[in-house]
Amino acid sequence: MNSARSLHLSRLVAVTARVVLSVAASPPPPLGPLPDRVAFASADGQTNLVGYVFKPEGPHSARSPAVVMMHGRAGPYSSLANGRYDASTLSQRHQKWGHLWAQQGYLAILVDGFGPRGFPQGFTHQSYDQRPESVNEVTVRPFDAYGALAYLRSRKDVATDRIALQGWSNGASATLAAMSSATSAFKSPTPATGFRGALAFYPGCGLKGKFKTGLFPYAPVRVFVGTADEEISPQECSDLVEVTRAQHGDITVRLYPGATHDFDDPGMSRQEVPANAAAMRDATAKAIEFLAAVLGQ
C-alpha cells in the first residue's frame, strides 16, 4: 500500500470515528411529537418556570383531564443534552410518560424546576446535602407543582377540576409534600381545588423529617418503590405509609422485589434487569388504572 493511500485510509478512519463518537454522545431521537414549550409562574411568587406540554393524542374532549409531572434530581433533560436544554433533549423516561398520558386522552405538563434556577443538568445523588435551598423538594418544589396547576387552569383545553400529580425520585418527594393537607404551597387544598390524586415513583420518604407523624394527604396517593433501590430507603417509604394509613390517610405503597431506582427508565441499562422490566410493566398499568379512577376517564 502506497503512503498516499495509507494516509487517506487513516483520515477516513479518523473521520468515521469522530462521527460515531458524535452520534453516541447525542441524545436519543424523540419518542413522538415534541411537546410545546411554555412558561408560567411558580406559586412561590418569584420564579418563572418552563414547562413542556404533551397534548392529547387521538380523540379527546374539548377540555381534557391533565397531569402535572415533576422530574427527579437529575432534571428533565437527557444526560447527553450537551448544553441544549429544550423539548428535543428531554429524557426518554419523561417523553415516555408524557406520550403515555397523551395517548390516554390527557394533557400532560413536565415542569422544569431546575433550569430556571440555574441547574439545568440537575444534581448527582451524592450532592444531596450540598444542594441549594432554592430546589428544596419539601419547602420549595411543591410551589412549582401548584404553579403548574394554576397554569393548566388558565387553559381552555383543560378540565380545571380534573388534574393529577406525578413525580419521580426528588420530584416524587415534592409530590408527597405537595399532597399534604398542611402544605404551605396551596391554601386549604381539596381534590376539587387542588390535585385529584398523585403518583410518587421511588421518592425519598424522609422528607427532611417534617412528616414523621404522618402525611395526611388530602387526595389519594400511590407510591411505587423497588426493594433494591440504591438511592432511597424503601423502609422509610413503608414506614411513612404505615403511620399515615393508621390515621386513615388514603395512601399505599407498592414494593417491587429486586427493582432498583429509576426502574421505569426505558433505557437498556435499567430494562435489562428483569425485576425492573416487571416493575415498569406493573407500575405503568397501575398508574393508568389509578388516574382513570381519580380523573374520571
Side-chain angles (χ1 to χ4, degrees):
M1 181 182 296
N2 60 44
S3 60
R5 185 180 180 188
S6 178
L7 179 60
H8 174 73
L9 287 175
S10 296
R11 288 174 176 172
L12 181 60
V13 169
V15 169
T16 302
R18 285 197 297 271
V19 170
V20 170
L21 288 173
S22 176
V23 171
S26 299
L31 298 178
L34 288 179
D36 295 335
R37 185 183 187 278
V38 299
F40 58 94
S42 170
D44 69 2
Q46 56 187 358
T47 308
N48 292 318
L49 298 171
V50 169
Y52 296 95
V53 174
F54 296 81
K55 294 181 179 178
E57 299 168 12
H60 60 277
S61 57
R63 285 184 174 269
S64 303
V67 184
V68 172
M69 303 191 299
M70 302 288 286
H71 63 73
R73 53 98 180 150
Y77 305 103
S78 167
S79 59
L80 301 175
N82 195 28
R84 181 176 181 177
Y85 304 112
D86 58 24
S88 71
T89 60
L90 294 176
S91 76
Q92 294 260 304
R93 175 178 53 201
H94 296 122
Q95 289 188 56
K96 182 201 80 170
W97 280 100
H99 288 299
L100 173 68
W101 296 135
Q103 291 157 10
Q104 300 299 311
Y106 308 141
L107 182 147
I109 182 170
L110 175 63
V111 181
D112 178 5
F114 285 178
R117 293 183 170 98
F119 308 100
Q121 293 178 302
F123 303 90
T124 64
H125 172 47
Q126 295 79 9
S127 70
Y128 187 73
D129 292 333
Q130 288 79 47
R131 294 174 199 168
E133 185 62 22
S134 64
V135 295
N136 187 307
E137 71 273 21
V138 177
T139 61
V140 176
R141 295 196 69 196
F143 285 96
D144 295 352
Y146 284 99
L149 177 72
Y151 165 74
L152 290 178
R153 286 184 166 155
S154 73
R155 294 179 61 111
K156 295 181 179 180
D157 56 352
V158 171
T160 58
D161 62 343
R162 296 163 66 195
I163 301 173
L165 181 61
Q166 179 182 24
W168 296 266
S169 194
N170 184 273
S173 298
T175 292
L176 293 178
M179 294 305 296
S180 168
S181 297
T183 179
S184 61
F186 199 79
K187 185 177 181 179
S188 303
T190 69
T193 62
F195 294 105
R196 285 286 179 179
L199 300 163
F201 280 66
Y202 34 88
C205 291
L207 300 173
K208 299 187 181 295
K210 294 187 179 296
F211 296 98
K212 290 182 177 180
T213 59
L215 186 66
F216 307 110
Y218 66 84
V221 175
R222 301 295 178 259
V223 181
F224 304 88
V225 179
T227 62
D229 196 301
E230 65 276 32
E231 291 198 21
I232 61 95
S233 166
Q235 187 60 54
E236 278 191 332
C237 288
S238 294
D239 291 346
L240 176 66
V241 169
E242 182 178 358
V243 70
T244 300
R245 286 180 62 80
Q247 299 173 75
H248 309 292
D250 190 351
I251 185 172
T252 63
V253 60
R254 196 165 183 86
L255 296 172
Y256 295 108
T260 69
H261 203 71
D262 295 326
F263 64 73
D264 62 326
D265 188 317
M268 182 63 69
S269 64
R270 290 297 182 183
Q271 292 312 303
E272 67 183 3
V273 177
N276 286 348
M280 182 171 76
R281 288 193 298 271
D282 184 80
T284 300
K286 292 294 187 294
I288 291 173
E289 179 183 352
F290 175 71
L291 288 201
V294 299
L295 296 180
Q297 284 292 83

